[in-house]
Amino acid sequence: MRVDVVVVGAGVSGLTAARRLRDAGLAVAVVEARDRVGGRVRTHRPGDGEPAIELGAQVVHGDRNPVWDVLEPGAAEPVAPGRALVATAGRVLPLGALARLGAPPWAVERSLLEGPPEGQEDVPAAGRLTRGDQAEWLRQNWAADPESLSTAGMAAGRRADDVGEGRFAVRGGLDRLPGALAHGLDVHCGSPVRSIAWSRGRVEARLDAGAVTASAAVVTVPPPVVAGGALTIGGLPARKRAAAESLRLGDAWCAVVTLSRPAPESAVVFDAEGGLGFVTSTAGSTRVLVVAKAGAAALARAAAREGPPPLGRVLPWAGDARPEHVEAADWGADAWATGAFTYPRVGALWARAAWAEPVSGTVFFAGEATAAGVPMVQAAIASGRRAAQEVLEAVGR
């Protein structure tokens, strides 16, 4: 197959870039390893009239988020999570109980995001913490251990992000976003690119069966996919190789657990003891969502090998409920994801910009790992737009 541009990866960043390039009149092929579009967006639909549940990216932050430029008016649905609780020291309490111990974890996180000023020292967030619940809160929100999490990187991401206020779900499921972006594009799912060979103005993306040749490529896979050799790119400059090795995604394990009885209330429980991350129940629904990151992801993954995750410790009402089904999304074990998202790592803040740099006006890079903002869906969209513009400038469009 011969096209003008081959886009590697049909996540939000790749689809965004492909649409811009197609709209500019270029012939574009999107090649995706998975059997679906969306990348780290994955929506579970119960099929019995209950709302969709997100197993990947969870919510859309901000009423000015570029997601709303893609979807129709009215797609935004404000998130109303119900009671905020914490599981700690063998008890389930209102989340506000943590404030009685001193600075609550969300206040500590806010202080890290809002200051100190630009140019601050790149030091671990762990040095600003005084309690275990503060550390676990950062693990679950940033998918990283506080010893590796850069305070400078957290603040820089917040400063670069301007998406407005509020937290929203996408009515009907977040996977409607990649679905809308993919509409009308030439997308080839189930076709992992194993290697990319290139010379200036010419690219060959080699698949298990055949190849795609093009004048340029946009690579959107997470950097560890390249660093680990699942996708090899010939002739990468040393700085690019070092960036791919420096950028890391935090571990994540998510699951929808269907129980034999419905929840009596809507609640989000923060597991401050580090076993299950955040656990969400909805009043009247038999389905519970577990989103575990960092060390909790490893614990939840290990527990799942023995059976459904034990929910009674964080949801007392579920202690005698029978688990009937589990649908899990193990992002840390996914060869094409390698984790949840790229966290700002101490000593690696230079690597995002380096990974974003095009190679010889021929191989371009997108994905949230290349973006300056917080590693959420808006970063993926921004990176796709940037990469598309770089391609158009390179080809004189």
Side-chain angles (χ1 to χ4, degrees):
M1 176 169 43
R2 177 74 170 92
V3 292
D4 294 321
V5 184
V6 57
V7 176
V8 182
V12 169
S13 59
L15 296 171
T16 297
R19 286 192 71 82
R20 288 235 164 173
L21 294 168
R22 185 207 61 179
D23 291 347
L26 297 180
V28 183
V30 183
V31 187
E32 166 59 43
R34 297 182 180 88
D35 60 1
R36 59 175 181 83
V37 302
R40 283 166 277 169
V41 173
R42 178 174 163 184
T43 301
H44 169 80
R45 288 186 174 78
D48 53 7
E50 290 196 19
I53 302 174
E54 303 301 339
L55 278 166
Q58 293 291 302
V59 298
V60 179
H61 290 262
D63 51 8
R64 297 195 304 273
N65 198 296
V67 166
W68 313 127
D69 298 334
V70 178
L71 298 172
E72 76 284 353
E77 190 169 40
V79 172
R83 293 184 68 199
L85 305 172
V86 58
T88 181
R91 303 172 66 192
V92 178
L93 304 169
L95 185 63
L98 295 179
R100 295 197 291 270
L101 304 175
W106 53 90
V108 174
E109 181 185 29
R110 190 182 309 117
S111 72
L112 293 172
L113 290 171
E114 294 178 350
E118 192 167 1
Q120 67 181 342
E121 187 179 359
D122 178 19
V123 296
R128 299 278 298 276
L129 309 179
T130 58
R131 300 197 311 268
D133 59 276
Q134 297 170 350
E136 188 60 23
W137 182 270
L138 291 185
R139 290 188 190 101
Q140 296 313 310
N141 281 289
W142 290 86
D145 193 281
E147 291 289 348
S148 301
L149 186 60
S150 167
T151 57
M154 293 172 66
R158 175 64 176 267
R159 284 193 297 271
D161 219 31
D162 183 20
V163 293
E165 302 298 326
R167 299 171 71 248
F168 301 89
V170 172
R171 198 177 305 277
L174 187 52
D175 65 353
R176 293 186 55 237
L177 172 66
L181 289 169
H183 182 71
L185 294 178
D186 181 20
V187 181
H188 303 261
C189 291
S191 301
V193 175
R194 303 298 184 181
S195 66
I196 294 175
W198 64 274
S199 57
R200 184 178 289 273
R202 187 182 187 281
V203 169
E204 183 178 73
R206 295 166 183 161
L207 315 177
D208 289 337
V212 181
T213 58
S215 299
V218 178
V219 176
T220 72
V221 301
V225 173
V226 176
L231 167 62
T232 60
I233 304 175
L236 271 186
R239 176 175 165 83
K240 297 284 289 186
R241 290 197 301 271
E245 293 167 357
S246 296
L247 292 166
R248 312 279 174 80
L249 281 74
D251 196 7
W253 185 92
C254 305
V256 174
V257 183
T258 303
L259 300 174
S260 59
R261 56 179 291 200
E265 64 175 353
S266 295
V268 177
V269 185
F270 164 50
D271 184 2
E273 297 177 357
L276 290 171
F278 286 99
V279 179
T280 302
S281 63
T282 302
S285 173
T286 59
R287 292 172 177 86
V288 171
L289 173 65
V290 178
V291 179
K293 302 189 186 82
L299 292 173
R301 180 182 298 115
R305 296 190 187 105
E306 305 299 323
L311 298 174
R313 181 173 59 82
V314 295
L315 297 175
W317 62 266
D320 60 353
R322 182 179 67 258
E324 296 183 337
H325 181 70
V326 178
E327 180 177 338
D330 191 342
W331 297 106
D334 184 323
W336 301 108
T338 74
F341 47 76
T342 311
Y343 64 90
R345 191 166 71 90
V346 172
L349 300 186
W350 62 273
R352 284 184 181 270
W355 186 242
E357 293 170 0
V359 177
S360 296
T362 302
V363 184
F364 301 82
F365 296 82
E368 52 83 13
T370 69
V374 292
M376 297 180 183
V377 66
Q378 61 266 27
I381 291 174
S383 75
R385 291 173 174 174
R386 171 195 47 77
Q389 185 60 37
E390 290 170 346
V391 173
L392 293 174
E393 291 173 0
V395 302
R397 294 294 182 101

